[in-house]
Amino acid sequence: MSKQYDVIVIGAGPGGMTAGLYASRANLSVLMLDRGIYGGQMNNTAAIENYPGFSSILGPELGQKMYDGATQFGAEYAYGNVVDVRLEGQSKIVVTDEGEYTAKAVIIATGAEHRKLGIPGEEEYGGRGVSYCAVCDGAFFKNRDVAVIGGGDSAVEEGLYLTGLAAKVTVLHRRDQLRAQKIIQQRAFANDKMDFVWNAGVEAIEGDGSKVTGVRYKDKVTGETQVLPVSGVFIYVGITPLTKGFEHLGVLDEAGWIPTDENMATRVPGIFAIGDVRAKHLRQITTAVGEGGQAGQSVFDYIQSLQDETLKTGAVPSAN
Ligand code: FAD
Ligand code: NAP
């Protein structure tokens, strides 16, 4: 028989770890499962400057601090790639590649992952010049020219990080205006090592068979095709929700995000969702953390309501 918990948190990014902290501090038994390294997307972030209490902190360092905080009240952490959640009465069976766990409630905190461009050369040169993580791969391009594709916070902020390593960083954006926050834009425009190519429709990543040699793009205004010679291409064109395995629960919207109410409850009783995977506008560490705190409390209230129901009806609780 699988081990039983009050709540299983799927994903140990900032949202999931905060939920783990709140639920375990409320004396619930908690298991946090993650298929990667705890910390989530923060592990791919160089400097975080908008998390209160720190003027600047490295992403993995903040992840470690959150993990220490989350586990101090007894929340357990285990590796697990969750592939399914089954509903059996009020019980939730969380299925991983390696086994099953049972809980009264589940918090989905699986976050999001980078989107791909789907252009020629992207797959072929993956790991040979094409990257989605400046912190992981930037050092391979010391004193070389690199391109960044995208115009959001990730593209511009990670591009700025790359200026500390590369000879020159050229941002290719599909419009003539960035989407990134103004403060990040100002820094980018003031940085001598950063260039911009506006209205660039990127068509292909070119290489010599073993490594990247350039980016081919069409100027959307003039219609001219150009090749920008670079050794590395960093792609930051948005994110997509990680909700594979949850489709059958009926909690996803058409685009795959999970809508919730203000208590982080989905339409299935006992299933909550927080952080980047939620249908929402502002995807940040602070918002994930806030939602994690709320979900920890909501799970406590939910389990309390199951117990109240049991007392009223005298029935044996079916959730555990
Ligand atoms: P995530 O951090 O995405 O964590 C989700 C976790 O779930 C991951 O560890 C993943 O391995 C796990 N998981 C996914 N699927 C499964 C599964 N099936 N089974 C088990 N585990 C699973 N925000 C800021 O506030 N400030 C910044 O400076 C900042 N910089 C950023 C820089 C970059 C390059 C990127 C990509 C994002 C940045 N963000 C920043 C956004 C911020 O990182 C996210 O909003 C935040 O991490 C979301 O937290 P989360 O807990 O919802 O999910
Ligand atoms: P994003 O905000 O969705 O921006 C994606 C960028 O890629 C946009 O500029 C978009 O262009 C462009 N793009 C999308 N599809 C494209 C395509 N097919 N071809 C070319 N360009 C394309 O994604 P993000 O920058 O990865 O950020 C994700 C979330 O994390 C956001 O909520 C962001 O605020 C957050 N984040 C925060 C920080 C921070 O607070 N410091 C840092 C990083 C990320 P358009 O502008 O034309 O749409």
Side-chain angles (χ1 to χ4, degrees):
M1 185 156 140
S2 65
K3 189 166 175 188
Q4 305 202 350
Y5 292 87
D6 287 324
V7 55
I8 292 175
V9 183
I10 308 174
M17 290 195 283
T18 309
L21 166 66
Y22 271 65
S24 57
R25 194 162 177 268
N27 220 16
L28 300 179
S29 57
V30 179
L31 174 65
M32 301 183 293
L33 287 171
D34 202 295
R35 67 181 180 190
I37 305 167
Y38 56 78
Q41 291 175 67
M42 294 190 300
N43 289 317
N44 300 337
T45 308
I48 295 165
E49 296 180 337
N50 54 0
Y51 191 75
F54 303 95
S55 52
S56 180
I57 183 165
L58 299 174
E61 194 185 343
L62 185 55
Q64 184 61 50
K65 286 184 187 297
M66 287 190 187
Y67 177 82
D68 294 342
T71 49
Q72 68 180 315
F73 298 108
E76 294 175 28
Y77 172 82
Y79 168 80
N81 177 32
V82 176
V83 292
D84 191 14
V85 175
R86 280 200 321 271
L87 306 178
E88 288 184 5
Q90 285 172 339
S91 292
K92 279 87 191 159
I93 316 298
V94 176
V95 184
T96 73
D97 283 344
E98 292 169 356
E100 296 187 356
Y101 303 88
T102 307
K104 295 173 186 165
V106 163
I107 300 174
I108 301 175
T110 44
E113 68 174 354
H114 58 77
R115 227 186 260 146
K116 290 192 171 176
L117 272 172
I119 55 170
E122 185 176 16
E123 288 287 343
E124 189 185 347
Y125 291 105
R128 295 188 292 160
V130 173
S131 170
Y132 304 85
C133 177
V135 180
C136 320
D137 301 327
F140 295 121
F141 302 97
K142 256 190 189 151
N143 303 321
R144 303 169 106 172
D145 291 350
V146 299
V148 172
I149 302 172
D153 287 337
S154 295
V156 184
E157 208 165 52
E158 300 311 303
L160 279 166
Y161 168 78
L162 287 168
T163 60
L165 297 160
K168 192 163 89 178
V169 177
T170 304
V171 177
L172 295 108
H173 183 35
R174 64 181 177 182
R175 293 189 287 136
D176 61 357
Q177 267 185 358
L178 296 174
R179 177 181 292 279
Q181 299 162 53
K182 287 285 176 251
I183 184 167
I184 300 175
Q185 294 195 25
Q186 282 162 6
R187 274 188 212 155
F189 294 143
N191 190 309
D192 289 344
K193 287 173 84 178
M194 209 157 185
D195 274 354
F196 292 85
V197 178
W198 305 110
N199 304 306
V202 176
E203 294 181 332
I205 293 163
E206 299 194 338
D208 60 7
S210 66
K211 60 183 184 323
V212 165
T213 55
V215 178
R216 192 176 80 225
Y217 66 94
K218 188 182 250 176
D219 185 315
K220 290 182 176 178
V221 177
T222 64
E224 242 179 86
T225 298
Q226 310 245 23
V227 176
L228 177 78
V230 288
S231 310
V233 181
F234 290 82
I235 301 173
Y236 289 104
V237 292
I239 53 175
T240 182
L242 287 168
T243 44
K244 196 163 179 284
F246 310 137
E247 299 91 342
H248 64 289
L249 293 172
V251 297
L252 312 186
D253 68 14
E254 323 75 58
W257 306 97
I258 308 183
T260 72
D261 67 13
E262 64 180 27
N263 296 318
M264 308 303 134
T266 67
R267 47 192 296 214
V268 176
I271 298 196
F272 301 81
I274 57 174
D276 274 16
V277 78
R278 269 185 78 224
K280 63 174 184 179
H281 287 301
L282 189 60
R283 294 194 168 83
Q284 296 274 285
I285 298 163
T286 48
T287 55
V289 159
E291 293 161 21
Q294 176 60 62
Q297 181 60 37
S298 298
V299 160
F300 178 83
D301 295 340
Y302 172 73
I303 289 172
Q304 196 68 50
S305 74
L306 292 180
Q307 284 164 0
D308 291 348
E309 192 58 29
T310 307
L311 283 177
K312 240 193 287 171
T313 60
V316 178
S318 57
N320 202 340

